[in-house]
Amino acid sequence: MDQQPEKKKKKIPWAMLYMIATIAAVVLFGVFNRQFASVFYTITHLTPGFLTIAVVVSVVFFFFEGGVVLLLMRSQNIPMRMSTSMKISLIGIYYSYITPSSTGGQPMQAAYLRRDKIPVGLSTAVLIMKFFCYQCAFVLCSLVSLLLFYGKISRENPGVLPIIIVGLCINGGSIVFFGSMFCRPVLGALCRFVKFLAGRFQRLSQRFHILETIDKFQADFDSYTDDFKEKKKAVVWGILLSIPQFILQMSVLYFIYRAFGYGQAGYVELVAIQSLLQASVSFMPMPGASGAQEIGFSSFLRPYFVNNDLYAAVMVWRFFTYYLVVIAGALLVVADQFLYKRRQNAGESARQAEGRNGG
């Protein structure tokens, strides 16, 4: 009796579906968000030179972001090119901006690095260290900003001071928390807790080998911790490079302010106010701190945009610091998924051809 040939299981094209969903999300965002559409009209009536500088500053910021990732990766003898670190950086920022409390950035970066055969535990450790460096620079610059302009803020806008203090405490706490992960007992306790949670869902745990995955993750993370003790210089450099990176990110507001025709407030003052605004809203549990950023901008920057253009300034600022990054990130994700799928198909075709020739 002839056996029927076994039907080949159809693979679900998850990558293609994800690409389509990403494109659809960006298109729908532009169609249904009237405020987003009105930004382009406002931009055409602003000083183009200052807007160009704002774009250049944002690009240089991304180079710093990629440079710190590259530094920390190479300090662990992980081979990486600048173009790859830039891609990983933009992908991380993109997913941070579209997920609540910026929780999606590091996990997605680790997932992309896993494609390059970098263990998840090791890549996660490097990415957490990168976040630690940035947070150190962030809190340091924000504290200096508060000390410099405390008197002015307490006189002109005292209502924002409690929010600033809470924001600085939360961001300072994140430095302590993520820094403590490089202490073996703390990491061990976290991994045991995750194992306990996984144990509550035994079927899923067994199917996806969650316990084994956690053990491997912990071993890779620990190997990073052991190795990094002798390479503290890279962490110091990471923090030092994160300071100008943070200042560049905060500088965009100043050039938007100048593009609206203002010039009364100085560069240092606007950068300081922007850093305090960022400290106040960065912990909000919405994607990109949406809503909180706009409300915070109105509260912090009301004394600076006095010609009935505060709302327009909010939208232009969000366009350059958020929407533009989301669009660039979405395009990069789609292009990267397409190229990766193409490489996979080419490799599979080459292996099949080699098998036929060998047979």
Side-chain angles (χ1 to χ4, degrees):
M1 190 172 175
D2 291 337
Q3 288 186 345
Q4 290 289 332
E6 202 176 309
K7 284 189 178 178
K8 195 175 181 182
K9 271 190 178 180
K10 250 190 172 181
K11 279 188 179 179
I12 300 173
W14 292 113
M16 187 58 68
L17 290 173
Y18 175 75
M19 287 161 59
I20 292 168
T22 303
I23 294 170
V26 173
V27 171
L28 289 171
F29 182 82
V31 169
F32 290 106
N33 193 329
R34 292 179 184 176
Q35 298 170 345
F36 179 73
S38 68
V39 170
F40 294 102
Y41 175 80
T42 306
I43 287 174
T44 58
H45 291 74
L46 300 179
T47 308
F50 285 113
L51 293 180
T52 303
I53 296 171
V55 173
V56 171
V57 164
S58 298
V59 172
V60 178
F61 159 79
F62 282 118
F63 272 99
F64 269 90
E65 179 78 8
V68 176
V69 170
L70 186 69
L71 167 73
L72 295 174
M73 287 288 180
R74 286 187 174 176
S75 72
Q76 293 301 298
N77 301 314
I78 300 172
M80 183 175 282
R81 291 175 299 181
M82 185 64 181
S83 58
T84 304
S85 67
M86 289 285 292
K87 180 185 78 172
I88 292 298
S89 298
L90 182 53
I91 284 171
I93 294 171
Y94 167 67
Y95 282 106
S96 292
Y97 279 10
I98 64 171
T99 52
S101 299
S102 303
T103 51
Q106 282 83 14
M108 289 307 299
Q109 285 177 311
Y112 274 79
L113 289 167
R114 189 172 180 273
R115 294 189 329 192
D116 297 331
K117 312 300 180 189
I118 299 172
V120 173
L122 185 58
S123 63
T124 302
V126 175
L127 293 168
I128 288 175
M129 184 56 71
K130 163 67 182 74
F131 179 74
F132 174 84
C133 292
Y134 180 82
Q135 284 296 101
C136 286
F138 176 12
V139 172
L140 176 63
C141 291
S142 298
L143 280 171
V144 171
S145 299
L146 182 60
L147 291 172
L148 286 174
F149 293 96
Y150 179 84
K152 182 180 175 65
I153 294 170
S154 60
R155 285 193 309 272
E156 298 177 5
N157 201 2
V160 302
L161 282 173
I163 308 170
I164 293 171
I165 301 300
V166 170
L168 285 171
C169 289
I170 291 173
N171 284 287
S174 73
I175 294 174
V176 176
F177 174 76
F178 286 106
S180 69
M181 288 185 70
F182 295 92
C183 177
R184 279 179 183 274
V186 174
L187 180 65
L190 286 171
C191 288
R192 284 194 298 275
F193 178 67
V194 175
K195 281 184 180 181
F196 167 75
L197 292 178
R200 313 295 290 180
F201 306 94
Q202 287 189 0
R203 284 189 179 181
L204 285 173
S205 180
Q206 289 169 1
R207 184 176 178 183
F208 295 103
H209 309 290
I210 292 175
L211 299 182
E212 294 88 342
T213 303
I214 294 169
D215 286 337
K216 188 174 186 313
F217 172 87
Q218 186 176 355
D220 291 334
F221 202 106
D222 281 341
S223 71
Y224 171 91
T225 302
D226 292 338
D227 191 31
F228 212 84
K229 286 175 183 174
E230 299 174 2
K231 298 179 180 177
K232 290 178 183 174
K233 191 186 288 186
V235 178
V236 174
W237 272 109
I239 294 170
L240 291 175
L241 289 172
S242 295
I243 292 172
Q245 179 198 353
F246 178 75
I247 292 171
L248 283 166
Q249 188 181 21
M250 299 301 103
S251 300
V252 173
L253 172 65
Y254 173 75
F255 297 109
I256 290 171
Y257 173 77
R258 295 302 305 272
F260 272 84
Y262 294 105
Q264 295 85 352
Y267 172 78
V268 174
E269 183 176 346
L270 264 297
V271 169
I273 296 299
Q274 166 67 85
S275 70
L276 294 174
L277 166 59
Q278 190 70 13
S280 303
V281 302
S282 59
F283 57 89
M284 294 296 178
M286 290 84 72
S290 296
Q293 287 276 17
E294 287 80 359
I295 294 168
F297 189 99
S298 301
S299 301
F300 279 74
L301 277 303
R302 191 174 297 280
Y304 297 92
F305 292 89
V306 294
N307 295 333
N308 201 29
D309 50 10
L310 180 64
Y311 177 74
V314 171
M315 293 311 301
V316 173
W317 171 70
R318 281 299 269 170
F319 175 77
F320 278 98
T321 59
Y322 181 69
Y323 299 134
L324 206 58
V325 178
V326 168
I327 292 169
L331 292 173
L332 175 63
V333 166
V334 170
D336 185 68
Q337 287 283 359
F338 176 77
L339 292 171
Y340 178 69
K341 191 69 181 171
R342 195 172 169 183
R343 285 195 301 270
Q344 270 192 325
N345 292 336
E348 195 174 330
S349 299
R351 283 192 296 273
Q352 286 175 355
E354 190 179 334
R356 285 195 297 269
N357 292 335

